[in-house]
Amino acid sequence: METPSVCVDEQKGSIQKIQTLLAAKDDTSRFVGLALLKSVLDNDEDLRGNEEIVVTLWKSIPPKFVDRLIQTGARQKASRKDASDMLDLAVSVLHTFAVLLPEVAKANSRILDRIPQLVAGLLHCSNETAHLALETLVSLVSQPAGALVFIAVEDLSPLTEIAPSQPLVLDTLSHAWLNSMTDVTDKAKLRTTIDKIVGSLVSFFKGTDAVTLLDFLANLLPRLDPEILPPNPSWLSPLGKFIRTLATSRPTAASRAASTNLAAALLEAYPIQAPTLLFSDGDAIITNPDDKPFSYLFIHLLLIDLRASLPLLLEQLNSPAYPAISLRLTSAFNVVSHYTGYLLRSLDAPTSTPWILTSPDLLLKLRVSLSETMSLAIEFLRDRWDASVAGALGLHPSARDAEVTTFTAAPPRRPLTWESKEAQGGVVPEDPLVLAGVRALAVWLREDDNEMLRKEAAGLADMFVELFRGSGEPGRLDFRRAVLVALEGITVEWKGVEAFLKHGGWSVLADDLLAILQAQTKADTDDAEAARGVEVVRVLLPIVEAEDPGVREEWMDLVTRVAAWDVPAPEDRPVGVVEEFQVAVLQLVTALLVNTHAGMQKRSVHSTSAVLGIAGQLKKRIRDGGGDPGLKESLEDVLTTLGRLR
């Protein structure tokens, strides 16, 4: 048996021999040294784990020699028998060091400058060597320095040509583009490159099911900076055809997920072009009335998927499969939301022919299907929220937090598998599926006159209020706009108003309204915040007007705080949503003063005068800024009504 010292001596001897061969002047010796190096690294685990020796060996390899091996192997593969050996060895060695080198060394130009040769040699590699080359590229472009080198390569056609048979091509492109976004200096050039490469990929994937391409784009598009996203690419239409083909040809689980996810990504990235691409069927109904249009089939399939999946989803919160399932269902909800909006715009369009989506009987079937799906969504959201916040009914909190130790070698497990902080779905305010579900439900509640569904949704009032309250916290998703739309729907019914007020909805929305108003005192004219403020008023105003026999005394605090608002100086900009919000707040305050009892009106006389002063200043601002006539009329109503009260 050899002693450790003998093994170390042999290892040093092998390393010295390899370094001597690599330092030789003739390429034959270098080739032998490189082959010997590859063999040693493949068979010596101790050596592979020694970063210092690995770095030393890497520095012993002449970089230009590796480039020459790849070039010669690619150029002469068809004419020389040993050419493929050169190419295979060079790629294999680079792959090995891409795995073994520490991150600092992988960010060095000594290995990153090999990227162009790896790309150029791809078309001449065997399938196995091409796979190794792509794994190497993925490793190198997974850091910003490597990504910048990659996007500087002028000819990426070797990648696009083999993409249908080598899925790692898409991983390489994705990592390179996403990791170079923040550091690239010429964003316009990168945008042009992405547009060109995606167009080439679409061409090469024709004749295939394109599932891997759709997956790639569904993951890429939502993550691209708006500056880098191609504005009106020619490949949108072919992608729409891919989606239509997959969705209507007995889709598998993989193709259903890919088409759903990409449809949602396209609708978010291209809100003007994508809806027509996916939902408009042109003259299909007129020319062939017996066929169901694609828009109907697509939405119908998504609704079936949602109804089949939601009842079983809580059981899978701790399952590794949850992220993929959740992503698909999130996309399905988002597509349904976009479809509902597109349908409403289509019905309001001045000319009907170009907007025809489906026949009235199919629309009725879709309406029934949508209502059934939203009812299941309400059940899912209720259970999901209860699991996250309240736990199982009657179960002590300690039973949820503790771990159960088994008598086997398995690790401790949680007693409840439906919710925990470690669940794949995370907590509710951080789960995109919950946001997508609330958004889709909200749009349908507001637009569909379904009394029963609105009463069902009133049972979610506590969840809506808490999601709104927590949306400003770091790391949380912003539910506020979706919740406001939902509240607008459920507060049409008295049961919804009662639930909203019972769970503190008034104070939460009033505080948000005042926060938006105070931010404008600091000359912060955020249009998005002001637009949300208008929606808050849209929810609160009908509640105030319907309250009988008069508004609650605690609501009058809003009047006092608005009366103390320090109106900002006029800005040199056109009248817009900020002024619309300010007028809406004054309308809400006026409604509160009108619908309170006489005694409170007398006690609020100073506040009324202050609000009148604010209205007067705002009137001058709107008049000088050329505001909308409807806005002026609303403000005149405020001034007239408050004038009578004073």
Side-chain angles (χ1 to χ4, degrees):
M1 181 177 179
E2 292 180 309
T3 62
S5 59
V6 174
C7 293
V8 171
D9 290 340
E10 287 184 359
Q11 187 184 76
K12 288 181 178 179
S14 297
I15 292 172
Q16 290 173 356
K17 181 179 179 182
I18 291 169
Q19 290 176 322
T20 300
L21 289 168
L22 291 173
K25 297 298 183 181
D26 63 294
D27 284 351
T28 301
S29 298
R30 290 174 174 177
F31 187 84
V32 173
L34 205 60
L36 183 59
L37 171 60
K38 179 67 172 65
S39 176
V40 169
L41 288 174
D42 286 347
N43 295 290
D44 192 330
E45 286 298 327
D46 292 335
L47 184 59
R48 291 170 64 88
N50 191 322
E51 287 188 353
E52 184 179 353
I53 296 178
V54 168
V55 172
T56 301
L57 288 170
W58 170 245
K59 290 180 178 179
S60 301
I61 302 173
K64 298 299 182 183
F65 174 63
V66 176
D67 288 348
R68 196 158 60 250
L69 282 179
I70 296 175
Q71 291 170 350
T72 304
R75 187 169 55 247
Q76 300 181 357
K77 185 174 181 181
S79 59
R80 287 181 52 180
K81 187 176 180 180
D82 60 345
S84 61
D85 293 337
M86 298 180 189
L87 184 58
D88 293 347
L89 178 61
V91 170
S92 181
V93 168
L94 288 175
H95 177 268
T96 299
F97 280 101
V99 172
L100 299 181
L101 283 172
E103 293 300 317
V104 175
K106 282 199 289 187
N108 190 278
S109 61
R110 189 177 185 86
I111 191 167
L112 296 183
D113 287 348
R114 313 285 72 80
I115 288 176
Q117 296 301 332
L118 277 173
V119 172
L122 279 171
L123 286 178
H124 308 282
C125 296
S126 64
N127 287 337
E128 183 180 350
T129 302
H131 186 79
L132 291 178
L134 289 169
E135 284 187 343
T136 305
L137 287 171
V138 170
S139 177
L140 297 180
V141 302
S142 294
Q143 50 187 336
L148 290 173
V149 173
F150 178 87
I151 64 171
V153 177
E154 291 295 331
D155 184 12
L156 294 176
S157 59
L159 283 165
T160 56
E161 287 187 38
I162 65 171
S165 60
Q166 294 283 359
L168 278 177
V169 166
L170 303 177
D171 291 340
T172 304
L173 293 171
S174 178
H175 282 85
W177 292 339
L178 294 175
N179 287 317
S180 64
M181 281 194 309
T182 56
D183 297 321
V184 67
T185 54
D186 192 347
K187 293 185 183 294
K189 182 180 179 181
L190 179 57
R191 181 174 62 245
T192 302
T193 299
I194 292 174
D195 190 9
K196 178 182 176 182
I197 295 299
V198 173
S200 296
L201 288 171
V202 168
S203 297
F204 280 111
F205 272 90
K206 283 183 179 177
T208 73
D209 61 11
V211 169
T212 54
L213 177 63
L214 270 59
D215 269 334
F216 158 68
L217 292 172
N219 177 64
L220 174 71
L221 294 178
R223 300 167 66 187
L224 285 179
D225 287 342
E227 293 178 87
I228 296 174
L229 188 69
N232 190 24
S234 59
W235 37 262
L236 280 180
S237 181
L239 287 179
K241 291 179 181 177
F242 279 135
I243 292 173
R244 287 171 178 256
T245 300
L246 285 179
T248 56
S249 57
R250 295 183 180 272
T252 63
S255 63
R256 184 175 72 244
S259 57
T260 303
N261 292 336
L262 182 58
L266 290 176
L267 289 165
E268 292 294 327
Y270 300 99
I272 297 176
Q273 305 99 314
T276 302
L277 194 70
L278 295 173
F279 303 143
S280 177
D281 294 289
D283 295 331
I285 300 171
I286 298 173
T287 58
N288 192 359
D290 293 329
D291 285 347
K292 292 182 174 65
F294 170 75
S295 59
Y296 172 83
L297 292 172
F298 189 39
I299 300 302
H300 184 64
L301 286 171
L302 295 182
L303 295 176
I304 290 174
D305 188 21
L306 286 167
R307 290 199 298 273
S309 303
L310 288 176
L312 305 174
L313 196 56
L314 281 180
E315 302 172 9
Q316 303 181 63
L317 273 178
N318 281 337
S319 165
Y322 181 81
I325 299 172
S326 173
L327 175 61
R328 188 187 78 245
L329 299 182
T330 299
S331 297
F333 271 129
N334 286 336
V335 172
V336 169
S337 297
H338 281 278
Y339 176 76
T340 304
Y342 184 79
L343 181 61
L344 293 170
R345 294 194 301 273
S346 301
L347 294 175
D348 292 337
T351 56
S352 59
T353 302
W355 294 83
I356 290 177
L357 298 175
T358 188
S359 58
D361 61 318
L362 292 181
L363 280 175
L364 182 59
K365 290 180 181 179
L366 269 185
R367 183 190 177 207
V368 172
S369 183
L370 272 163
S371 295
E372 291 176 357
T373 304
M374 293 308 157
S375 182
L376 277 175
I378 291 171
E379 291 182 24
F380 166 73
L381 291 170
R382 180 73 265 169
D383 291 342
R384 180 80 167 92
W385 181 255
D386 288 345
S388 176
V389 177
L393 183 65
L395 188 65
H396 193 274
S398 63
R400 299 183 74 244
D401 298 332
E403 291 183 335
V404 175
T405 304
T406 62
F407 293 101
T408 67
R413 59 178 175 79
R414 288 199 172 270
L416 291 183
T417 60
W418 61 335
E419 178 71 14
S420 71
K421 290 182 179 179
E422 291 77 23
Q424 296 288 336
V427 294
V428 167
E430 298 171 8
D431 190 347
L433 174 58
V434 176
L435 176 57
V438 170
R439 188 187 293 123
L441 174 64
V443 174
W444 191 245
L445 286 173
R446 185 179 65 181
E447 302 301 338
D448 186 52
D449 189 14
N450 188 326
E451 180 182 343
M452 185 62 66
L453 193 67
R454 285 171 174 169
K455 288 180 178 179
E456 285 183 43
L460 298 175
D462 59 324
M463 183 190 78
F464 289 148
V465 171
E466 289 304 316
L467 287 175
F468 190 99
R469 191 200 308 270
S471 287
E473 298 178 11
R476 299 290 179 94
L477 296 171
D478 193 345
F479 283 82
R480 289 174 293 188
R481 299 296 289 271
V483 165
L484 288 171
V485 174
L487 291 176
E488 197 176 339
I490 68 171
T491 53
V492 171
E493 302 294 330
W494 174 244
K495 184 177 180 180
V497 174
E498 190 177 35
F500 167 72
L501 297 176
K502 176 184 177 182
H503 294 289
W506 176 274
S507 62
V508 170
L509 264 59
D511 287 347
D512 187 57
L513 196 71
L514 291 167
I516 297 170
L517 199 64
Q518 292 306 317
Q520 293 172 1
T521 304
K522 305 170 186 176
D524 182 359
T525 55
D526 189 324
D527 285 356
E529 293 283 291
R532 189 180 76 246
V534 172
E535 293 180 16
V536 170
V537 173
R538 196 175 290 139
V539 172
L540 296 182
L541 187 57
I543 295 175
V544 170
E545 292 174 341
E547 186 73 0
D548 188 39
V551 300
R552 306 180 188 189
E553 190 167 339
E554 61 267 24
W555 296 359
M556 297 302 292
D557 179 61
L558 181 63
V559 176
T560 306
R561 296 174 69 179
V562 171
W565 179 46
D566 185 11
V567 184
E571 299 180 44
D572 185 18
R573 59 176 177 76
V575 170
V577 69
V578 172
E579 287 73 24
E580 182 186 352
F581 162 66
Q582 293 167 354
V583 171
V585 172
L586 296 185
Q587 287 178 307
L588 178 61
V589 168
T590 301
L592 285 165
L593 287 166
V594 168
N595 202 26
T596 191
H597 56 83
M600 180 60 73
Q601 288 176 351
K602 290 179 181 179
R603 290 198 296 272
S604 301
V605 65
H606 294 297
S607 294
T608 303
S609 297
V611 173
L612 270 169
I614 293 171
Q617 294 180 57
L618 192 54
K619 179 181 178 181
K620 184 177 184 302
R621 161 76 183 119
I622 293 174
R623 184 186 63 219
D624 296 343
D628 179 81
L631 204 59
K632 295 178 184 177
E633 184 179 343
S634 297
L635 194 54
E636 285 294 341
D637 287 344
V638 168
L639 287 165
T640 302
T641 304
L642 291 179
R644 294 196 197 102
L645 292 178
R646 191 171 55 169

